[in-house]
Structure formats: C-alpha cells, structure tokens
Amino acid sequence: MSVQPWSISRLLTLSFLLGVSSVSAGDPEQVSIQTLFSPQVLSYQQHAVTVEGVIQDLQVLSSFDRMNGRSAPAKCLLYGRAAFLLEDETWIIPVEVLGTCHPHVVVLLPHNGDHVRITGLVQMLKSEAPRHVRIQAMTIQILESTP
C-alpha cells in the first residue's frame, strides 16, 4: 500500500501541531492491537508503539481553554481534540488526540474509514481482564483516505 504524497506533509504538520517530542529510544515497535490487550500489555504501559488500522466512530471534541504554562499565564484554546476507534484485523482500540493551540489542525484530522498508521503512548486504564487500554496519538499518518 503506497502512501499518498500529501499524507507525508499532513503527518508532519499534525505531528508538529500536536507538540510531539521525539522518541529517543529508536522507532516505536509496530504491534497488533490484540497485543495491547494481552497479558504482556503491562510492558507497554506509557511506551510508544505504532499500530495501523481503519478509523471508526470519529468524534471531534469541542475546543476548550487551558493554561499554557508560561510564567505569565496566558490562555490557549485547544483545537483538534478527537477520539475514535481504530480497528485492525485483530481487535479495536480507542485512540485519543489531545489537540493543540493551532486552529487549523482540525482540517488535518483523519476521517471515518481512513486507513492510518498511528504512533502513540499506550495507556492501560485497567490491567485485569477485561483490560481497558487506549492509545494517546502522537502522530497520525493517513495511508489511504476515504473519498
């Protein structure tokens, strides 16, 4: 499957706008979603992984004010906050996008039916079965967009 030329710039822009810091330990491991619900998920807690799948149930969340942490507090309206389900051939996992202060990031978000590659932090909310796990997206690369 080839990456559409415009998706690289969308990936880079979305990564930059989400305020992503680089992962210093090399490339994140690519895993199946099912792996993140297995007993070995404990070893993935707060680690960056890469998963691929199709977006379902995209919900763009409303913007809200937050303090941006400067010495003289200034408000920042967060845009591009979203939540969706990502499905691969093995399972489905919820994904959270935290957003950014840049209003144009909303148009960079993927859509329902898009096939994407996501790198993000694994967040285990409940370790015993049934496990509750989600991914906090750091980068979203659209591999194939729905018409």
Side-chain angles (χ1 to χ4, degrees):
M1 182 174 302
S2 64
V3 176
Q4 297 175 352
W6 52 264
S7 67
I8 297 300
S9 63
R10 278 179 80 177
L11 168 69
L12 294 175
T13 303
L14 189 56
S15 297
F16 171 74
L17 292 174
L18 292 176
V20 175
S21 60
S22 63
V23 177
S24 59
D27 291 335
E29 179 182 356
Q30 182 149 357
V31 298
S32 71
I33 292 171
Q34 184 177 21
T35 299
L36 299 177
F37 287 91
S38 69
Q40 63 184 314
V41 71
L42 293 170
S43 65
Y44 288 104
Q45 172 67 356
Q46 292 298 339
H47 287 243
V49 297
T50 299
V51 291
E52 279 188 33
V54 176
I55 290 182
Q56 300 176 9
D57 194 27
L58 174 70
Q59 298 172 17
V60 177
L61 305 172
S62 61
S63 301
F64 73 93
D65 287 328
R66 74 167 176 99
M67 303 306 281
N68 70 10
R70 296 182 186 170
S71 57
K75 289 190 175 191
C76 168
L77 190 62
L78 286 179
Y79 299 92
R81 294 183 330 119
F84 54 86
L85 299 175
L86 185 70
E87 180 178 14
D88 70 5
E89 62 280 348
T90 66
W91 210 269
I92 297 173
I93 192 166
V95 176
E96 174 184 55
V97 180
L98 296 181
T100 180
C101 294
H102 303 282
H104 61 280
V105 74
V106 174
V107 300
L108 298 175
L109 288 171
H111 300 94
N112 284 323
D114 285 355
H115 182 234
V116 298
R117 180 179 298 129
I118 294 176
T119 299
L121 293 177
V122 175
Q123 297 177 327
M124 183 176 38
L125 307 173
K126 181 181 170 202
S127 59
E128 61 276 352
R131 290 177 179 79
H132 293 265
V133 181
R134 72 177 173 203
I135 295 177
Q136 184 179 46
M138 296 186 310
T139 64
I140 301 172
Q141 180 180 11
I142 298 172
L143 302 174
E144 189 176 314
S145 185
T146 55

